[in-house]
Amino acid sequence: MCGIIGYIGKEEALPVLLKGLTCMEYRGYDSAGLSVGDEQHAFQTVRAVGRVVQLTKRAAEVSLRGHVGIGHTRWATHGGITENNTHPHTSCDGKFILVHNGVIENYAALKEHLKKNGCTFYGDTDTEVLVNLIAWHYRQFSDISTLSKRFKASVRKALSELQGTYGIAVICTDCPNELIGARKSSPLVLGVGKEELFLASDIGAFGGRTKDVVFLSDGEIVHLQGNEFHITGADERALSPTVETVDWDTDVSDLGSYTSYMQKEIFEQPKSLENTMLGRFSADGSSAHLGGLQLSADELRRAERLLLIGCGSAYHACKVGEYLLERYARIPMEVEYASEFRYRNAPLSKNTLIFVVSQSGETRDTLDALHEARRKGLRVSAITNAVGSTVARESDGGVYQRSGSEIGVASTKAFTGQIATFLLLSLYLGRMREMSFSEGCRLVQALKDLPTCVKEVLASCDDWARTTAKKYAKCQSFYFIGRQMLFPIALEGALKLKEVSYIHAEAYPGGELKHGPIALIEPSFPTFVLASDPDMLSKNINNMTEIKARKGQVIALGIEGCPFPKDLCDDVFYLPKVHEAILPIITVLPLQLFAYYAALERGCDVDKPRNLAKAVTVE
Ligand code: F6R
């Protein structure tokens, strides 16, 4: 894992590959490499531990020429972060060069077999096993009439022996004007440009050079030869693919006046939320419509239960969705981590509607949960941000959150976009069930006001977040507590802080503090109290009192017009009084900024936090 780019075309491949790798940096990685060559120039590979800038320097030291190439950013799974384990990998006979995302589960047995047959290995990756397996079959297939056919047959044969997941791009030096790509449970997209073709795990890697794409399906193999491509299915039959034009910003490299993508994306939220809601309110101003769901009003009314599934921040958005849908649509709700759902085998009635939520639409755990639910005959809808992603294509319908490309590894605008989507769904379902016309109108108005409100809150809490983060950035641990819809926001606040500043943080429902976690409270252990829900005010004040009694520090987020006793909080920010349904979104804003500034204060790279990847395509 993490990002693949392949190129064959009229341009020198090196700059195209470097740009593609740069565009995928946001996905998180710890080393990068590329190979370039063609009929006139022998293929050469450069690899570097660290960032694409290091790779760029290395590439500048060697004269890399050619119109064909592959590149990769690696997030280590098999084998440590070393140059030897960095992709592309070359077979021991030097004939094949390959980049790979995914995990080959039976690599140990295959490696043994290859070693017995004389293969030597320089690193520890499963990918090096795959490239040698292809080379081994190529040697066995010496009777195949053309080199090109022999190349294809060897790739197909090797892939048929794999257990696990893969998205690959592979070069055969005997066929220097060709590339082969294939996928199984790991994304791979073909980009069709003017006299150039691309392969990538992410359409962002096309660097804006084309929006015309073919999304490959599992088991498919694409063969690129000059300006032509041919796709065959798992059964070896030739397919006639549809080239789609994606409505998605494929050039995502522009930071504008911001210093990081995380900052840019936090401040983009007024616009991204507006986009999520655009054209989705009903004409009478009391409801919403979500056409992509492809669920009839009857099917929605018959639903007895909704099950929301996601990972990380998407899971937290589901938790907010649980409270929202329960309150406004009056429907029994359940939320499950995707990784748990898959193995849980819970009894599910046929009238359970499942929603999987995934910004990237490529998260392995979420996809596996989707497949598991569909296998059991359940209808799965998706909430996703990435157009054409695997989740979008493999679900029974869904809603695009339209938050725009999210580059920062830590989710910000995609998280609030997911909550906004749940707000629309609550309205839509609510109005079919028990929500009155006037309640619907009030909620629609609140949602229409949301972008402006978010803009004002961001403007007013920015300085506060910066100053407060500076004051507390040396603390080693934080608690975040909130009640009801603000409990998942506490979870998200803690996750954001951990991800980008590496400060330990935990979150609890306010009422849980006294059941154990309070044992750790002491002067250097601050607690964020999310107290902006007026209904919960007295309960939150109880929490603050308990913390202050133990000499803990309290950072409170309150609500205008409901001031806290001054002696109960060390720092406080008051949010405007808004419709309760949008409280989760406005309450997370100061927390996103706090995490951002705390990370800067501690010298961390907010866009590429250590150990994290943007799309986790392994289980
Ligand atoms: C947190 C974060 C991750 C993702 C999680 C799911 O900031 O980004 O926790 O939310 O990996 O990713 P998606 O939504 O792409 O399925």
Side-chain angles (χ1 to χ4, degrees), residues 318-336:
C318 291
K319 288 294 289 177
V320 177
E322 176 182 31
Y323 285 99
L324 289 171
L325 283 149
E326 198 173 77
R327 191 169 300 180
Y328 297 110
R330 305 296 307 143
I331 185 162
M333 297 294 303
E334 201 179 331
V335 177
E336 183 62 286

Side-chain angles (χ1 to χ4, degrees), residues 311-314 358-361 363 366 409-411 418 495-496 499 616:
C311 307
S313 291
S358 174
Q359 185 287 127
S360 63
T363 301
T366 309
V409 165
S411 184
Q418 285 157 354
L495 181 66
K496 273 316 69 112
E499 283 180 300
V616 185

Side-chain angles (χ1 to χ4, degrees), residues 77-309:
T77 51
H78 278 75
I81 305 165
T82 63
E83 198 171 312
N84 262 355
N85 289 337
T86 302
H87 302 213
H89 285 291
T90 306
S91 56
C92 60
D93 62 4
K95 265 203 195 319
F96 289 87
I97 309 164
L98 178 134
V99 289
H100 164 229
N101 280 347
V103 174
I104 296 164
E105 285 159 8
N106 58 337
Y107 80 100
L110 293 170
K111 193 168 183 174
E112 245 349 273
H113 158 79
L114 290 166
K115 275 184 175 170
K116 277 189 196 136
N117 284 283
C119 282
T120 52
F121 292 86
Y122 51 77
D124 315 311
T125 66
D126 48 352
T127 306
E128 201 189 337
V129 175
L130 173 56
V131 74
N132 277 294
L133 187 64
I134 295 171
W136 188 75
H137 284 301
Y138 192 77
R139 290 194 288 276
Q140 313 308 305
F141 286 147
S142 55
D143 55 339
I144 294 184
S145 58
T146 69
L147 292 176
S148 187
K149 281 188 188 158
R150 190 171 157 195
F151 176 23
K152 244 190 320 187
S154 326
V155 172
R156 184 176 289 283
K157 180 78 175 124
L159 294 180
S160 73
E161 290 170 357
L162 299 187
Q163 284 158 22
T165 59
Y166 55 80
I168 58 164
V170 50
I171 288 168
C172 172
T173 54
D174 282 348
C175 312
N177 201 24
E178 299 178 26
L179 273 183
I180 289 183
R183 69 159 277 177
K184 185 180 162 211
S185 301
S186 190
L188 198 70
V189 192
L190 169 73
V192 184
K194 270 201 188 115
E195 294 175 61
E196 55 187 10
L197 295 168
F198 302 83
L199 282 175
S201 49
D202 180 334
I203 50 180
F206 301 153
R209 291 180 76 97
T210 182
K211 287 191 172 193
D212 295 336
V213 303
V214 179
F215 292 105
L216 297 177
S217 298
D218 275 354
E220 289 179 0
I221 295 184
V222 59
H223 183 203
L224 281 51
Q225 204 168 13
N227 286 330
E228 291 182 6
F229 65 90
H230 303 279
I231 300 180
T232 42
D235 55 4
E236 294 191 39
R237 264 193 307 174
L239 302 173
S240 321
T242 325
V243 180
E244 298 173 45
T245 303
V246 286
D247 179 19
W248 181 253
D249 182 6
T250 52
D251 188 1
V252 290
S253 49
D254 187 18
L255 256 185
S257 58
Y258 294 99
T259 53
S260 67
Y261 287 107
M262 182 175 182
Q263 186 194 29
K264 177 173 179 251
E265 286 156 9
I266 290 174
F267 283 95
E268 268 172 5
Q269 287 175 106
K271 189 73 202 153
S272 61
L273 288 164
E274 193 178 311
N275 284 343
T276 303
M277 297 185 287
L278 198 71
R280 285 177 164 164
F281 294 114
S282 65
D284 72 350
S286 78
S287 184
H289 45 77
L290 296 164
L293 275 185
Q294 290 166 25
L295 282 163
S296 70
D298 261 4
E299 281 173 301
L300 287 168
R301 277 191 208 99
R302 268 204 309 274
E304 286 165 3
R305 198 164 72 121
L306 251 61
L307 170 57
L308 313 179
I309 297 175

Side-chain angles (χ1 to χ4, degrees), residues 366-573:
T366 309
L367 269 165
D368 287 344
L370 183 159
H371 294 147
E372 181 65 17
R374 293 198 69 198
R375 190 173 298 123
K376 303 241 158 88
L378 291 155
R379 213 198 136 82
V380 183
S381 304
I383 294 176
T384 182
N385 194 31
V387 175
S389 58
T390 313
V391 161
R393 287 179 299 118
E394 296 192 1
S395 51
D396 296 297
V399 186
Y400 278 124
Q401 50 180 101
R402 305 184 194 143
S403 307
S405 305
E406 190 178 69
I407 308 296
V409 165
S411 184
T412 53
K413 65 174 182 171
F415 173 69
T416 52
Q418 285 157 354
I419 299 177
T421 310
F422 278 127
L423 280 160
L424 294 170
L425 188 63
S426 307
L427 252 175
Y428 185 44
L429 276 181
R431 288 289 289 126
M432 281 178 193
R433 297 165 83 95
E434 291 177 27
M435 188 188 278
S436 71
F437 175 77
S438 52
E439 205 184 341
C441 291
R442 271 198 301 279
L443 186 47
V444 167
Q445 195 51 53
L447 292 181
K448 286 186 174 165
D449 294 341
L450 179 62
T452 312
C453 179
V454 166
K455 192 171 180 180
E456 287 167 3
V457 171
L458 284 171
S460 62
C461 74
D462 192 32
D463 276 347
W464 176 85
R466 188 186 301 115
T467 318
T468 317
K470 202 175 170 74
K471 176 170 164 189
Y472 292 94
K474 289 208 169 66
C475 292
Q476 291 189 349
S477 286
F478 280 78
Y479 278 150
F480 287 71
I481 58 169
R483 291 169 186 257
Q484 301 292 295
M485 285 193 252
L486 298 185
F487 165 51
I489 297 304
L491 289 168
E492 178 64 8
L495 181 66
K496 273 316 69 112
L497 190 63
K498 273 186 282 217
E499 283 180 300
V500 295
S501 73
Y502 316 139
I503 297 174
H504 167 245
E506 289 176 52
Y508 294 96
E512 278 297 300
L513 196 68
K514 59 185 176 297
H515 294 292
I518 202 164
L520 299 188
I521 295 286
E522 44 139 5
S524 63
F525 195 134
T527 302
F528 264 93
V529 182
L530 314 188
S532 50
D533 181 349
D535 294 344
M536 291 287 126
L537 206 64
S538 63
K539 306 288 168 210
N540 288 319
I541 289 182
N542 288 348
N543 278 133
M544 294 181 190
T545 313
E546 289 159 9
I547 297 163
K548 290 313 295 176
R550 278 132 191 113
K551 303 202 168 18
Q553 301 186 76
V554 169
I555 311 168
L557 297 183
I559 195 106
E560 273 166 11
C562 304
F564 297 123
K566 284 211 164 55
D567 56 336
L568 288 189
C569 11
D570 298 86
D571 285 278
V572 60
F573 183 79

